[in-house]
């Protein structure tokens, strides 16, 4: 039985958790002092040993990523924090930055020191103005406190930290598109190789990490790799933020060891919306193939979710109860991907355009059962054929929903339209409306 | 510097310039193929004759991997990629096994899928699309597509078309967003005026309204667009490709020497495309070469003309006109001026005609500002090693003297730009101001008008450096000599780049007073004997001939009374040239009615380039041979007319066909090698220019690529992208005059004035620059000077 392990979220309930004072009161910036006394390579080693994996979706080992940065190359290095968080369902970085921006800043300084970067950037989603203001203030406070700028803590390390506000594009969360956007170009993914570790921002060695990944670093330095590795499962170490949203009694962030199950989390969150039962859910945001109530006991770590046919992704657990029409939900997601497709490559650009129309027809009950095969075939022509992973994300909800809810699609065709009452699925609907 | 540039430079420098090429062997569809390291899979497959379908891929552009049409299955040392890969982005690796659509059902399905997706938003208006019949999308949809679309939805539509410049139109709904056009503009031309905008299926090519697609190279985007999204305004809806007869040709406009393809329908050129020659223009051309050809169709002379007793030019029969011309040329002391546009065969005709039919060396192909120093320089140049585009590729630095590559020889510009972008090639220039072209080349511009000779001597070069000398350097006394000395001392390669396509060939053909064909010195008795023997003629005239300026002088003085001219515009030489011509008996070989018709006594119509065969020598000295594209023309090449005229005079030159002329000239070989001593020693003294007074400036000018040139007439779409006609002055001067960008200023001297809007630029503060041959700016005519003289500059 797992229990919550609040680290990043440990003192979010304190009124001034987001201030320098609040952060320091709770032990903030002590890890930094420790880190600056360490050899940078030792920090990379420590992070490697901790088993920390990227929290941005792909789960790439963070220490290994830092180790790819060529050292002694006489070039500028950069650290870029990916705070673009724009995927439907994904909502962990925003509350983290709102409640505790300094843990990210502390992580940034330690990570920059480790990879020998004197410039770091936080690329933040443009729509979240309140978060932007809060992070900006925190950065200013850190400068005032001598934690950023020249000769940090008198240890001879210099770091400039710049907050860059995006203009509202999901694709700018993809790390190379992010770099283009940060350089002032239109955000579209770059051809790889070269990888950012070799030629990233301004063609210089660059580490791009998710907010949560970097924010986890101070606790690893403070408490040691072993402490971190003692949590979680064999290959998925540590704690992480699980974001529960949708038809759930107490939605929100649940910081728990990797490997916890949805059953446990739902319990902690007070159960599915009262009077209803779980129908389907996403393990890691809309881009990850959906699960059903058959997957309640899947361990939510990278391996467990993959073994069950999906991805842990951003651990954005969107809960849908039986009032939700899966066709409708999938169509809304698909509309999102169509809107967010950057347009660079054919399968995604044209495919999402087509998928929306095809799903609209199905939602309206138009078409024949064969159209489901056609839909799957279009997805097959998109999935793994595109330039970046956005398109895979667009195809995933469709393929997985057809896998588990084919009958519901057919029902639409039989019915000549959607058999559901959309009002019943709204959060404000009274129980049992249907 | 963009990321790509930095990356390119780092990659190139890390590879080292001369490292041996490593070969890698891979297997494609079961066949082994060895290719140099770095080769992309798609091109390795091509080597085997396996065509992987593609759209965004272009061998001269950086890969993007955008269209996803070229997906293939790849495994390396037994490890298979989990999904098909874009073969246009992946370099070969040892142990690689590639399965294309021919052997992998997965790749085949992937390609069919992409093709279907590409077509869902495509209008499929092939029957009315210019590209129909030669369209990569149409063709590959047939060869690699699914045959039938399953798409029944709503297609994306756009308002159509939009003008992205006066000459290029964009039909957005046809665009497949391959980014070839945008990459070309940025990577090849350095004119990133078009980009992809918006996102998703609404992504589209666009311009910034305030900065339209003003590029001298925009036509290439039309040519490489794999669909009919980009069309040329003057060709749009004019023809179907299968109605056209295509002929490989060469461009007649400048000395870059572009390979061309001329597409003709019923005797009329409808369009021209850049040909493919990796050692010259690669696959590009400039817009002038592509679009300036309407002159072929308009104001053509169809019959000979004779000036009658009342002074009017009237039509005459060929025998009558030839007899009249022959008479006039043989009873007077005659000279020959050849415009810079003749083919080498025609130039040879003039050269031989002067020596045999007119018994004179008074011939010059330089119908422009020129000098005696230049003539000696050119003779010396022919002794040197020839320089090529490949030398630019390998140069450690390039020096531009009296030469603006983008305006005066655009393909040389592209070649230098390529190396600047790829490996940061160092470029320096001697020029009054930093032009846009030189800005793109990141050139160090030495702006010190009047001090050229000294500045030239200061360059530190090596034997890998390349000095490019423009014809304008002749306008600065001593500068050509200084350039030769610089080359000699440093071992750097030196090339002379005339502006016009015919000059280099005319030089080789001996259409100049000091040289006989094959670079033989007139003054050298042995050289004359060579030629006499070959021609089977009597003794050739021994005296070095007069130059263009001397011939005009002699005309004024009445010492020369007759003149044979071939394609000359007197306004190119000087303001007073036309007066000299008025006094003489003038026989003019021309394709169109021109200023010459005003003074000619006999006008003989000749063939335009499309109607004849021949060759131009480009600046490298490489022959650009072409056949007639319009085969049933009644017009004849100059050399054939000259041969008949010589017969009429009774001193035959026996050059009845272009082939004969070419063969005869080739038989001389290069006679220059052992005559170095015969060269007059050159002196490099520069006449000092007086320092300009308060409201004075030193005039400077050059021709813009697109200007009032007579071969560009009747092409308003092309003219629409000409660089603005402005006078460039320094910040300082503008402040003194109390003027700002766009204000009118007056440039004048005792001969006249020119009024132009001004542009503040990075110019020698003592100088002013104006276009040399643009509307409202023809200094040679208005001011009787084009450069290096003092003019007064005031607010207009
Ligand atoms: C379409 C798309 C959107 C993405 N959006 C985000 C994002 O908003 N935040 C994020 O951290 N990673 C995002 N990623 C993943 C990043 O590309 C990258 O893998 C990640 O930032 C690496 O950080 P990590 O190693 O710390 O996980 C996105 C990827 C794709 C393909
Ligand atoms: S899959 Fe292609 S079109 Fe879609 S976001 Fe990625 S690069 Fe852009
Ligand atoms: S206009 Fe043509 S070349 Fe340019 S992106 Fe579209 S299809 Fe490609
Ligand atoms: S660069 Fe010169 S040769 Fe080439 S197309 Fe232009 S004018 Fe013709
Ligand atoms: S040709 Fe390879 S992706 Fe376009």
């Amino acid at each position: 039985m797992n229990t919550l392990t609040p680290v990043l979220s440990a003192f979010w309930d304190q009124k001034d958790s987001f201030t320098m004072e609040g952060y320091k009161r709770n032990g903030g910036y002590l890890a930094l002092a420790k880190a600056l006394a360490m050899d940078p390579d030792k920090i990379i080693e420590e992070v490697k040993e901790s088993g920390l994996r990227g929290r941005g979706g792909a789960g790439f080992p963070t220490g290994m990523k830092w180790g790819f940065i060529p050292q002694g190359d006489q070039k500028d290095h950069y650290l870029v924090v990916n705070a673009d968080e724009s995927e439907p369902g994904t909502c962990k970085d925003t509350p983290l930055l709102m409640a505790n921006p300094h843990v990210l800043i502390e992580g940034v300084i330690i990570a920059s020191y480790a990879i020998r970067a004197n410039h770091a950037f936080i690329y933040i989603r443009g729509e979240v103005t309140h978060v932007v203001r809060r992070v900006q203030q925190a950065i200013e406070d850190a400068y005032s406190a001598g934690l950023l700028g020249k000769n940090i803590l008198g240890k001879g390390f210099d770091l400039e930290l710049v907050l860059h506000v995006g203009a509202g594009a999901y694709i700018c969360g993809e790390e190379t598109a992010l770099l283009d956007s940060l350089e002032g170009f239109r955000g579209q993914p770059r051809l790889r190789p070269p990888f950012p570790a070799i030629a990233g921002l301004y063609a210089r060695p660059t580490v791009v990490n998710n907010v949560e990944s970097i924010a986890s670093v101070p606790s690893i330095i403070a408490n040691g790799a072993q402490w971190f590795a003692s949590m979680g499962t064999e290959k998925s170490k540590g704690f992480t933020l699980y974001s529960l949203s949708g038809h759930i009694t107490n939605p929100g962030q649940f910081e728990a060891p990797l490997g916890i199950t949805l059953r446990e989390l739902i319990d902690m969150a007070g159960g599915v919306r009262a009077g209803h039962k779980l129908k389907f859910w996403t393990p890691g945001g809309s881009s990850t193939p959906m699960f059903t109530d058959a997957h309640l006991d899947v361990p939510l770590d990278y391996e467990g979710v993959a073994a069950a046919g999906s991805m842990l992704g951003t651990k954005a657990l969107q809960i849908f109860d039986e009032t939700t029409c899966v066709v409708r939900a999938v169509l809304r997601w698909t509309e999102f991907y169509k809107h967010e497709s950057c347009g660079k490559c054919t399968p995604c650009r044209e495919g999402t355009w087509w998928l929306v129309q095809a799903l609209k027809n199905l939602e309206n009950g138009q078409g024949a059962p064969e159209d489901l095969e056609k839909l799957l075939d279009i997805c097959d022509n998109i999935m793994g054929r595109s330039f970046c992973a956005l398109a895979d994300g667009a195809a995933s909800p469709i393929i997985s929903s057809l896998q588990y809810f084919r009958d519901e699609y057919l029902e639409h065709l039989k019915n000549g339209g959607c058999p559901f009452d959309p009002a019943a699925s709204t959060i404000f609907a009274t129980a049992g409306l249907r | 510097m963009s990321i790509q540039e930095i990356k390119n430079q780092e990659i190139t420098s890390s590879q080292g310039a001369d490292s041996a090429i490593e070969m890698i062997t891979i297997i494609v569809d079961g066949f082994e193929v060895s290719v140099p390291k770095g080769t992309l899979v798609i091109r390795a497959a091509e080597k085997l004759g396996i065509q992987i379908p593609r759209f965004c891929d272009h061998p001269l552009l950086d890969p993007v991997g955008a269209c996803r049409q070229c997906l293939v299955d790849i495994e390396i040392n037994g490890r298979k990629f989990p999904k098909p890969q874009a073969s246009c982005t992946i370099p070969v690796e040892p142990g690689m096994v590639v399965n294309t659509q021919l052997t992998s059902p997965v790749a085949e399905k992937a390609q069919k899928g992409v093709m279907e997706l590409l077509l869902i938003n495509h209008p499929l208006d092939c029957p009315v699309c210019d590209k129909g019949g030669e369209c990569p999308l149409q063709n590959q949809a047939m060869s690699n597509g699914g045959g039938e679309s399953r798409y029944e939805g709503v297609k994306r539509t756009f308002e159509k078309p939009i003008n992205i410049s006066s000459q290029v139109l964009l039909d957005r709904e046809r665009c497949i967003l391959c980014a070839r056009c945008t990459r070309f503009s940025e990577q090849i031309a350095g004119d990133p005026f078009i980009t992809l905008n918006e996102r998703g299926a609404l992504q589209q090519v666009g311009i910034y309204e305030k900065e339209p697609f003003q590029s001298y190279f925009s036509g290439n985007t039309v040519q490489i667009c794999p669909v009919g999204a980009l069309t040329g305004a003057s060709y749009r809806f004019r023809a179907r490709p299968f109605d056209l007869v295509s002929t490989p040709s060469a461009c007649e406009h400048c000395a870059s020497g572009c390979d061309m393809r001329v597409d003709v329908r019923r005797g009329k050129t409808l369009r021209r495309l850049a040909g493919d020659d990796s050692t010259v223009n690669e696959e590009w051309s400039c817009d002038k070469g592509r679009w300036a050809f309407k002159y072929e169709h308009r104001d053509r002379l169809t019959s000979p003309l004779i000036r009658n007793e009342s002074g009017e030019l009237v039509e005459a029969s060929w025998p009558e006109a030839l007899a009249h011309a022959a008479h006039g040329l043989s009873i007077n002391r005659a000279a020959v001026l050849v415009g810079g546009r003749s083919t080498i065969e025609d130039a040879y005709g003039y050269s031989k005609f002067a020596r045999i039919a007119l018994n004179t060396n008074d011939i010059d192909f330089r119908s422009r500002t020129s000098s005696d120093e230049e003539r000696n320089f050119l003779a010396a140049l022919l002794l040197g090693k020839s320089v090529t585009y490949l030398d630019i590729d390998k140069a450690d630095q390039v020096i531009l003297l009296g030469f603006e590559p983008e305006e005066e020889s655009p393909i040389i510009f592209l070649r230098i730009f390529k190396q600047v972008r790829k490996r940061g090639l160092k470029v320096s220039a001697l020029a009054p101001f930093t032009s846009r072209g030189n800005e793109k080349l990141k050139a160090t511009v030495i702006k010190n008008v009047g001090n050229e000779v000294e500045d030239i001597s200061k360059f530190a070069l090596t034997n890998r450096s390349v000095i490019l000398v423009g014809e304008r350097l002749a306008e600065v006394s001593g500068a050509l000599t200084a350039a030769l000395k610089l080359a000699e001392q440093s071992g750097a390669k030196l090339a002379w780049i005339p502006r016009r396509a015919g000059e280099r060939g005319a030089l080789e053909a001996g259409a100049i007073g000091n040289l006989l064909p094959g670079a033989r010195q007139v003054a050298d008795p042995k050289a004359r004997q060579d030629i006499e023997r070959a021609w089977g003629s009597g003794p050739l005239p021994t005296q070095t001939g007069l130059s263009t300026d001397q011939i005009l002088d002699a005309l004024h003085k009445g010492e020369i009374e007759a003149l044979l001219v071939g394609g000359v515009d007197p306004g190119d030489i000087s303001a007073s040239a036309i007066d000299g011509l008025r006094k003489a008996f003038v026989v003019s070989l021309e394709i169109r009615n021109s200023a010459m018709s005003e003074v000619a006594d006999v006008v003989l119509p000749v063939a335009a380039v499309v109607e004849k065969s021949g060759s131009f020598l480009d600046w490298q000295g490489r022959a650009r041979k072409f056949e007639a594209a319009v085969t049933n023309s009644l017009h004849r090449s100059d050399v054939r007319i000259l041969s008949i005229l010589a017969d009429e005079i009774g001193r035959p030159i026996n050059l009845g066909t272009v082939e004969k002329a070419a063969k005869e000239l080739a038989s001389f070989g290069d006679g220059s090698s052992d005559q170095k001593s015969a060269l007059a020693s050159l002196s490099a003294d520069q006449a000092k220019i007086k320092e300009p007074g308060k409201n004075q400036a030193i005039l400077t000018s050059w021709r813009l690529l697109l200007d009032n040139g007579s071969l560009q007439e009747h092409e308003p779409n092309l003219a629409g992208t000409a660089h603005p006609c402005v006078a460039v002055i320094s910040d300082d001067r503008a402040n003194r005059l109390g003027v700002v960008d766009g204000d009118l200023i007056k440039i004048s001297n005792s001969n006249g004035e020119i009024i132009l809007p001004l542009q503040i630029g990075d110019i020698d503060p003592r100088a002013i620059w104006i276009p040399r041959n643009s509307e409202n700016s023809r200094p040679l005519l208005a001011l009787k000077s084009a450069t290096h003289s003092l003019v007064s500059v005031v607010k207009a």
Side-chain angles (χ1 to χ4, degrees), chain B residues 395-628:
Chain B
D396 63 354
Q397 59 172 311
V398 170
I399 308 292
L400 309 172
L401 304 178
F403 176 49
E404 284 291 321
E406 191 176 28
E407 304 289 358
E408 295 173 315
S409 213
I411 294 303
I412 300 183
F413 170 81
L414 291 190
R415 200 73 170 215
I416 302 173
F417 182 76
K418 181 176 177 180
Q419 298 303 324
V420 170
R421 180 173 176 273
K422 266 205 159 150
R423 58 182 178 98
L425 171 63
K426 194 170 143 213
V427 180
S428 308
L430 224 57
F433 85 104
T434 310
S435 60
R436 198 174 96 186
N438 273 336
E439 226 168 81
K440 290 195 276 182
L441 297 179
K442 300 189 172 76
T444 309
V445 181
I446 296 151
K447 302 173 287 277
N448 200 1
V449 181
N451 263 310
E452 286 83 354
V453 169
E454 199 187 325
D455 289 338
I456 290 172
S457 69
K458 286 193 208 144
F459 284 110
L461 305 182
T462 72
N463 60 3
R464 283 179 56 215
S465 310
V466 170
I467 308 169
L468 299 179
V469 171
E471 69 181 32
R472 280 186 294 110
L473 199 64
E475 294 163 359
V476 178
S477 65
L480 288 171
T481 311
L484 265 188
K485 287 206 170 115
L486 175 67
E488 240 155 58
Q489 280 158 12
S490 60
K493 301 206 157 107
L494 181 144
W496 174 69
I497 309 196
R499 221 176 47 83
R500 289 178 167 159
E503 291 208 355
R504 179 69 204 255
L507 179 63
E508 221 107 340
I512 191 162
N514 59 335
L515 293 178
L516 293 168
R520 286 168 176 78
Q521 296 282 325
V522 164
D524 174 3
K526 193 182 151 293
R528 287 200 306 273
Q529 279 165 19
D530 276 359
I531 302 291
E532 283 158 10
R533 214 174 307 121
W535 283 347
S537 67
L540 294 177
T542 55
Q543 231 183 356
T544 298
L546 301 181
S547 68
T548 302
D549 290 342
Q550 291 162 341
I551 289 171
L552 286 169
D553 209 39
L555 286 171
H556 278 289
K557 293 191 187 136
E559 290 163 10
I560 289 181
E561 306 111 336
L563 192 66
L564 170 69
V565 294
V568 172
D569 179 350
D572 286 344
I573 305 172
S574 71
S576 57
I578 193 95
D579 304 327
L581 290 167
R582 251 182 250 287
K583 298 189 180 161
F585 177 84
V586 175
V587 177
S588 168
L589 272 61
E590 253 301 352
I591 59 172
R592 302 196 302 158
N593 251 316
S594 69
M596 213 33 105
S597 310
E598 222 181 287
V599 294
D601 295 277
V602 181
V603 179
L604 301 174
V606 289
V609 167
V610 266
E611 299 149 351
K612 63 184 182 188
S613 61
S615 44
F616 291 114
L617 281 199
D618 66 13
W619 68 276
Q620 314 174 90
R622 180 193 279 248
R624 314 302 298 164
K625 210 169 145 27
F626 58 89
E627 293 301 320

Side-chain angles (χ1 to χ4, degrees), chain A residues 59-106:
Chain A
F60 192 84
T62 303
M64 195 195 285
K65 190 183 272 189
W66 295 5
F68 289 152
I69 299 293
Q71 294 302 338
D73 57 353
Q74 306 302 324
K75 287 181 185 164
D76 290 335
H77 298 170
Y78 298 110
L79 172 73
V80 178
V81 176
N82 189 343
D84 191 52
E85 190 167 73
S86 307
E87 182 174 343
T90 304
C91 54
K92 62 191 179 69
D93 299 340
T94 298
L96 170 59
L97 290 175
M98 200 63 186
N100 190 3
H102 282 289
V103 71
L104 175 66
I105 296 174
E106 186 175 10

Side-chain angles (χ1 to χ4, degrees), chain B residues 74-108:
Chain B
I74 297 182
E75 61 176 72
I76 300 175
N77 293 324
R79 259 194 70 225
K80 195 165 163 359
F81 279 92
K83 47 192 187 184
Q85 300 294 306
S87 57
C88 72
T89 64
I90 303 210
V92 294
E93 272 182 52
M96 195 180 248
V97 176
V98 176
N99 290 101
T100 73
Q101 71 277 6
L102 301 177
T103 50
S104 157
V106 175
E108 193 196 4

Side-chain angles (χ1 to χ4, degrees), chain A residues 345-346 387, chain B residues 42 52-58 63-71 85-89 178 180 183:
Chain A
C345 72
T346 309
F387 191 89
Chain B
I42 195 168
I52 301 167
R54 82 283 305 267
F55 294 106
C56 65
D57 170 70
H58 190 288
V64 274
C67 75
R68 318 303 291 171
Q69 188 57 59
C70 63
L71 297 173
Q85 300 294 306
S87 57
C88 72
T89 64
C178 67
R180 276 185 175 193
R183 277 178 294 150

Side-chain angles (χ1 to χ4, degrees), chain B residues 526-782:
Chain B
K526 193 182 151 293
R528 287 200 306 273
Q529 279 165 19
D530 276 359
I531 302 291
E532 283 158 10
R533 214 174 307 121
W535 283 347
S537 67
L540 294 177
T542 55
Q543 231 183 356
T544 298
L546 301 181
S547 68
T548 302
D549 290 342
Q550 291 162 341
I551 289 171
L552 286 169
D553 209 39
L555 286 171
H556 278 289
K557 293 191 187 136
E559 290 163 10
I560 289 181
E561 306 111 336
L563 192 66
L564 170 69
V565 294
V568 172
D569 179 350
D572 286 344
I573 305 172
S574 71
S576 57
I578 193 95
D579 304 327
L581 290 167
R582 251 182 250 287
K583 298 189 180 161
F585 177 84
V586 175
V587 177
S588 168
L589 272 61
E590 253 301 352
I591 59 172
R592 302 196 302 158
N593 251 316
S594 69
M596 213 33 105
S597 310
E598 222 181 287
V599 294
D601 295 277
V602 181
V603 179
L604 301 174
V606 289
V609 167
V610 266
E611 299 149 351
K612 63 184 182 188
S613 61
S615 44
F616 291 114
L617 281 199
D618 66 13
W619 68 276
Q620 314 174 90
R622 180 193 279 248
R624 314 302 298 164
K625 210 169 145 27
F626 58 89
E627 293 301 320
V630 172
T631 43
N632 53 357
S633 167
L634 297 175
H635 293 298
R636 296 291 169 257
S637 202
D638 300 37
V639 65
R640 293 188 62 183
I641 309 283
L642 291 171
S643 191
I644 299 168
L645 190 57
D647 290 345
E648 190 73 27
I649 291 175
R651 293 159 153 257
I653 58 172
N654 300 319
L655 297 174
T657 63
V658 171
E659 293 71 44
K660 177 112 196 289
K663 232 172 158 177
E664 195 172 300
L665 179 57
S667 72
F668 295 137
D670 185 359
S672 63
S673 46
D674 52 338
Q675 291 147 26
K676 194 155 191 167
S677 54
L679 277 176
S681 66
L682 306 169
S683 104
D685 283 333
Q686 177 162 21
K688 278 272 166 276
I689 311 178
K690 266 205 355 227
E691 276 308 300
K694 188 164 158 284
N695 278 335
Q696 284 185 319
I698 307 173
L699 178 70
T700 63
S701 70
W702 53 72
R703 288 170 186 250
L704 299 176
L705 181 74
L706 302 178
D707 63 1
N708 264 16
S710 57
L711 298 191
Q712 299 164 53
E713 282 167 20
H714 308 297
E715 206 25 283
N717 298 321
L718 176 64
T721 56
H723 288 175
C725 182
V726 290
V728 178
I729 59 173
S730 70
D731 218 349
D732 227 37
R733 184 181 299 275
N735 288 339
R736 256 185 290 139
L737 295 176
V739 289
V740 295
D741 264 351
D743 285 356
L744 293 180
I745 52 172
K746 185 167 91 180
I747 304 113
S748 61
N749 61 13
S750 59
N751 298 313
E753 62 178 47
I754 286 174
I755 295 180
L756 287 177
L758 74 94
Q759 190 179 73
I760 295 169
D762 177 26
I763 186 168
D764 179 344
R766 294 139 64 237
I768 183 169
W769 178 89
I770 60 175
R772 189 171 285 193
N773 187 31
S774 299
E775 201 63 46
N776 308 327
S777 186
R778 303 192 68 183
L780 206 50
L781 299 184

